[in-house]
């Protein structure tokens, strides 16, 4: 299947009561739009991404999403139905599966995307994720407030997104309708197609009211909350190069091989920081597709990672690193290294070291490993 995910983010967020459109409301150190795109980017299947932005907000949307890979941003409309139609208009030729997703369901687990696409691959024309309804349901006459018997909720489901469709069927269904529909499955059903359900997820709740935003913020770490990242890096000794370790030069010691200065301590710190921010790892930001960083000093990686993290609304609270190596002896220069690293990261960095009792590659003196833990504070 050639899959496109369309994220509709053009709503105004009236019920949230913010001055800006809902997609641009702050959520745990970023915007709701970034959090929802970040979530979808974690999906392992190949797909292209279309984001439908509120009219006049296309440029800010593109700027916010510049670090999230290729994203086509198009202009939304008055109603959600109009916005989805705009998104469908941007599907690349050859699209066979389209998943329409609400930006407002920013915490949707990628497993739901898997289930929807798997059902499409198995031949469904339309797929909705649904979850069981937990409250008792009754009928209510809104004018008299008289109530009827409880409805059998075991036969009902609450519908979420992403909703998946055979692209050609959904496009044809949208061409045939007029007026407003609450979801895309209803449009497909109006065209006479069946829609099947897969399991949704409680975390796919729609951020509608301020209390929903608070819930999402607390799940993501929330303002004042913390996020933790951990990472290991390993390099082998190369006697032909000078040693740079923990931000210090070590004259007379064997150096470490590596694509840059081989400073495993800083590399592990950068990886832990990026992981804590949910921003991938060294390869994501400094890999083969970023030639401008080729052979760069580890301090350049660190400075760039710190910028990305700050822009995403985090400050680094503290970092701990353990070096696992037979040599060099860290103890005599531990405080010196901590001072340099603390200066570089801009928060307390604690360093410790151990040997591995002569075992393994570090025990044989073949290389150095470093294990870093980073704590970010959400601002
Ligand atoms: N949506 C859209 N275009 C619209 C209206 C809604 O793209 N004209 C999107 C929203 O951005 C959201 C999803 O459809 O991701 C579900 O809509 P809803 O949760 O109702 O968001 P809003 O319409 O923004 O909120 P409200 O109804 O409170 O104004
Ligand atoms: Mg709405």
């Amino acid at each position: 299947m050639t899959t496109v995910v369309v994220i509709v983010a053009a709503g105004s967020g009236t019920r949230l009561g913010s001055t800006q459109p809902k997609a641009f409301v702050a959520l745990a150190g970023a915007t709701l739009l970034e959090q929802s795109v970040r979530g979808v980017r974690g999906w392992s299947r190949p797909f292209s991404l279309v984001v439908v932005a509120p009219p006049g907000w296309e440029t800010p949307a593109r700027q916010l999403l510049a670090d999230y890979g290729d994203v086509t941003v198009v202009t939304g409309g008055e109603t959600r139905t109009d916005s989805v139609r705009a998104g469908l208009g941007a599907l690349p030729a050859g699209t066979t599966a389209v998943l329409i997703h609400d930006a407002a369901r920013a915490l949707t687990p990628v497993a739901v995307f898997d289930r929807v696409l798997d059902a499409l691959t198995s031949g469904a024309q339309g797929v909705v994720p649904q979850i069981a309804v937990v409250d008792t349901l009754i009928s209510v006459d809104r004018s008299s407030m008289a109530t009827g018997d409880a409805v059998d909720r075991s036969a009902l489901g609450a519908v979420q997104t992403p909703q998946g469709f055979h692209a050609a069927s959904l496009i044809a269904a949208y061409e045939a309708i007029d007026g407003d529909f609450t979801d895309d499955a209803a449009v497909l059903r109006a065209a006479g197609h069946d829609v099947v359900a897969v399991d949704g997820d409680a975390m796919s709740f729609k951020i509608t009211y301020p209390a929903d935003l608070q819930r999402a913020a607390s799940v993501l770490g929330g303002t004042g909350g913390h996020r933790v990242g951990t990472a290991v890096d390993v390099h082998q000794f190369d006697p032909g190069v000078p040693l740079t370790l923990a931000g210090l030069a070590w004259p007379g010691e064997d150096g470490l091989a590596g694509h840059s200065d081989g400073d495993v301590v800083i590399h592990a710190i950068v990886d832990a920081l990026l992981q804590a921010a949910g921003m991938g790892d060294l390869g994501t930001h400094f890999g083969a597709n970023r030639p401008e960083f080729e052979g760069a000093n580890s301090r350049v990686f660190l400075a760039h990672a710190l910028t990305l993290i700050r822009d995403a609304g985090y400050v680094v609270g503290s970092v701990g690193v353990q070096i696992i190596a037979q040599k060099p002896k860290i103890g005599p220069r531990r405080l010196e290294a901590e001072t340099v690293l603390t200066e570089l990261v801009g928060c307390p960095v604690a360093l410790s070291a151990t040997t591995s009792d002569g075992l393994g590659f570090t025990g044989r003196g073949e290389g150095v490993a470093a294990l870093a833990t980073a704590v970010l504070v959400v601002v």
Side-chain angles (χ1 to χ4, degrees):
M1 292 247 170
T2 303
T3 307
V4 178
V5 176
V6 175
I7 297 183
V8 283
S12 54
T14 324
R15 287 170 287 179
L16 206 52
S18 168
T19 50
Q20 56 218 347
K22 182 149 84 182
F24 295 87
V25 163
L27 174 57
T31 56
L32 185 145
L33 177 63
E34 289 165 276
Q35 297 289 11
S36 56
V37 169
R38 191 177 289 172
V40 178
R41 276 289 180 223
W43 192 28
S44 59
R45 310 281 183 96
F47 66 95
S48 332
L49 186 57
V50 173
V51 166
V52 185
W57 290 79
E58 303 84 347
T59 303
R62 279 188 198 101
Q63 284 164 351
L64 284 178
L65 299 178
D67 284 333
Y68 293 90
D70 276 346
V71 184
T72 304
V73 175
V74 297
T75 309
E78 280 282 304
T79 65
R80 187 182 180 284
T81 308
D82 295 335
S83 295
V84 172
R85 194 178 264 121
L88 292 176
L91 296 188
T95 305
T96 52
V98 59
L99 272 60
I100 314 282
H101 184 48
D102 289 343
R105 298 182 192 273
L107 270 55
T108 304
V110 291
V112 180
F113 286 76
D114 280 332
R115 291 196 280 274
V116 170
L117 187 59
D118 288 346
L120 282 180
T121 309
S122 305
Q125 289 289 307
V127 185
V128 290
Q130 66 79 43
I131 56 170
V133 181
V134 291
D135 296 311
T136 296
L137 298 173
I138 53 169
S139 62
V140 182
D141 178 334
R142 296 280 169 212
S143 55
S144 68
M145 292 307 273
T147 65
D149 287 340
V151 182
D152 176 14
R153 70 178 176 215
S154 68
L156 297 176
V159 171
Q160 305 177 325
T161 70
Q163 299 187 353
F165 305 93
H166 265 267
S169 305
L170 189 67
I171 291 168
Y174 260 87
E175 274 163 9
I177 57 148
D178 217 1
D180 206 15
F181 284 70
T182 54
D183 73 350
D184 311 298
V187 176
L188 193 78
R189 264 189 241 100
H193 294 290
D194 287 336
V195 174
V196 299
V198 294
D199 283 340
D201 194 290
M203 290 321 296
S204 307
F205 67 90
K206 187 153 71 81
I207 298 169
T208 306
Y209 294 101
D212 301 319
L213 196 62
Q214 273 171 26
R215 180 179 170 202
S218 73
V219 171
L220 290 166
T223 303
H226 296 92
R227 297 189 59 159
V228 172
T230 182
V232 71
D233 193 36
V234 172
H235 284 257
Q236 77 180 73
F237 282 117
D238 176 354
V241 298
L243 178 64
T244 306
L245 184 65
L248 302 179
W250 298 73
E253 299 280 356
D254 288 348
L256 292 168
H259 137 105
S260 63
D261 54 14
D263 192 333
V264 286
V265 168
I266 294 185
H267 287 172
I269 292 174
V270 173
D271 247 354
L273 289 169
L274 291 170
Q275 189 199 58
M279 289 181 164
D281 52 31
L282 276 164
T284 315
H285 297 277
F286 309 106
N289 57 342
R290 299 295 295 269
E292 69 271 33
F293 288 113
E294 198 175 334
N297 188 291
S298 56
R299 292 181 183 213
V300 174
F301 295 164
L302 179 61
H304 186 65
L306 289 170
T307 307
L308 293 175
I309 285 161
R310 257 194 307 275
D311 287 351
Y314 301 105
V315 295
V316 188
S318 68
V319 169
V321 191
Q322 186 180 37
I323 294 174
I324 305 142
Q326 214 60 36
K327 57 173 191 173
K329 283 272 160 282
I330 304 297
R333 299 191 68 191
R334 190 173 64 80
L335 291 178
E336 196 188 338
E338 283 185 342
T339 306
V340 169
L341 293 170
T342 295
E343 174 78 29
L344 287 176
V345 183
C347 77
V349 179
L351 184 69
S352 61
T354 185
T355 64
S356 51
D357 210 13
L359 297 175
F361 68 88
T362 57
R364 291 189 298 271
E366 292 168 7
V368 175
L371 175 68
T373 305
V375 175
L376 302 185
V377 181
V378 184
V379 290

